[in-house]
Amino acid sequence: MPHHLSPELTRRPVRVLIVGCGGNGSAITAGLPYLHQAMLVHGHPGGLEVTLMDGDVVSPTNCVRQPFSQAEIGHSKAVVLVSRMNLFWGLKWHAVADHFSAKTSVDRVDILIGCVDSRAARKVIAQKVTGPRSGVSLWLDLGNHATGGQFVLGQPWNWENKRSATRLRTVAELFPELVDPSLDNDGLPSCSAVEALERQEPFVNPTLANHALALLARLFRHGSITYHGAFVNVAGCRVQPLAADPAVWRALQRRGKRRVNGR
């Protein structure tokens, strides 16, 4: 069942908000200029207008498997990444050196890309993009574990995306355990480079991000997609697509209910 791009997103610049500038967020940010330029070459009227949002600063541990240098320690992750993109690509993207919260406005956001590392943070995003006050067209969520992860592109139920059998279900609808804060660990950052690598192998983030970017590229280049996410296993060199299919969604939601109720 193909999902078609909203015509509104082909008539003007597409406003993108990236929440989280860690492993996944920095990898997504590095790839978005290529998507921006490809859209312009193929006739899009404005490409992407991107804002990065993260309240964290660069730590020594971040320099192990995230694209930050020792000279950037103590500086805002969002500001560092945006400055780098703008300088290299000649862009005018924006940075917000603050954490996403219930008070964050999403009024001028077409695509929200969530690259957060906790279920609590993902739940806040789910609550903001859903409901009659939100006009977010698409929510792309990326999440990872030690050897892989998943990404899901969904249409939050709001005034932009009405109830329908074909509306792309979000990560919160398909995998309710991923927005359950009670399942989070201590939430503390890795205290050493060794611990950071033990929690996650190298190259997981860019691999996951590239697959997610390829999905967006296909949607804007061809105007439709037949899948809206995937499960990526770097250790086993496997990628399992998530079909845009109501039957698949119903099966996943039934499993999700069983997982939640069976705890």
Side-chain angles (χ1 to χ4, degrees):
M1 182 195 71
H3 166 74
H4 298 282
L5 180 67
S6 169
E8 177 65 19
L9 299 184
T10 67
R11 300 180 183 134
R12 55 169 175 76
V14 179
R15 300 164 299 192
V16 178
L17 173 63
I18 301 175
V19 180
C21 297
N24 287 327
S26 59
I28 284 284
T29 299
L32 281 180
Y34 296 99
L35 175 58
H36 170 72
Q37 293 197 121
M39 291 168 63
L40 295 177
V41 167
H42 287 111
H44 193 279
L48 304 176
E49 290 183 355
V50 179
T51 298
L52 273 65
M53 186 172 194
D54 196 319
D56 287 340
V57 298
V58 179
S59 71
T61 304
N62 296 148
C63 301
V64 177
R65 55 177 174 78
Q66 296 179 17
F68 299 107
S69 70
Q70 295 291 324
E72 294 164 336
I73 292 175
H75 294 280
S76 163
K77 287 184 175 182
V79 172
V80 166
L81 290 178
V82 162
S83 300
R84 191 182 301 167
M85 294 299 104
N86 288 347
L87 180 63
F88 186 88
W89 294 99
L91 300 168
K92 295 182 180 179
W93 291 357
H94 307 282
V96 178
D98 200 358
H99 292 294
F100 190 91
S101 71
K103 297 181 179 180
T104 302
S105 173
V106 294
D107 291 343
R108 294 180 54 80
V109 176
D110 298 311
I111 302 177
L112 190 149
I113 303 179
C115 302
V116 295
D117 57 7
S118 73
R119 292 172 172 82
R122 187 177 284 110
K123 181 177 181 179
V124 174
I125 293 176
Q127 292 172 334
K128 288 294 295 186
V129 301
T130 305
R133 295 186 178 182
S134 170
V136 174
S137 181
L138 294 166
W139 171 23
L140 174 61
D141 177 81
L142 289 84
N144 61 266
H145 49 79
T147 59
Q150 77 287 325
F151 63 95
V152 179
L153 180 68
Q155 294 176 287
W157 175 54
N158 52 35
W159 68 262
E160 178 71 22
N161 304 308
K162 308 302 182 184
R163 287 187 184 275
S164 75
T166 59
R167 176 181 61 83
L168 293 180
R169 299 310 191 257
T170 67
V171 67
E173 295 172 284
L174 298 178
F175 307 102
E177 68 273 17
L178 294 182
V179 292
D180 184 350
S182 69
L183 298 178
D184 274 331
N185 295 322
D186 57 17
L188 297 176
S190 304
C191 59
S192 70
V194 172
E195 185 181 355
L197 291 174
E198 286 178 347
R199 290 192 178 189
Q200 183 182 322
E201 295 182 4
F203 308 112
V204 169
N205 297 129
T207 302
L208 190 63
N210 282 336
H211 280 288
L213 289 165
L215 173 65
L216 290 179
R218 186 164 189 82
L219 179 59
F220 280 98
R221 175 69 180 93
H222 300 284
S224 65
I225 49 176
T226 56
Y227 72 102
H228 67 116
F231 307 91
V232 180
N233 186 315
V234 175
C237 196
R238 295 191 303 271
V239 178
Q240 177 64 47
L242 174 61
D245 185 338
V248 172
W249 299 335
R250 288 193 293 271
L252 287 173
Q253 287 172 322
R254 285 195 295 269
R255 292 181 193 173
K257 290 180 180 178
R258 287 198 296 268
R259 287 193 296 267
V260 172
N261 295 333
R263 282 195 288 127

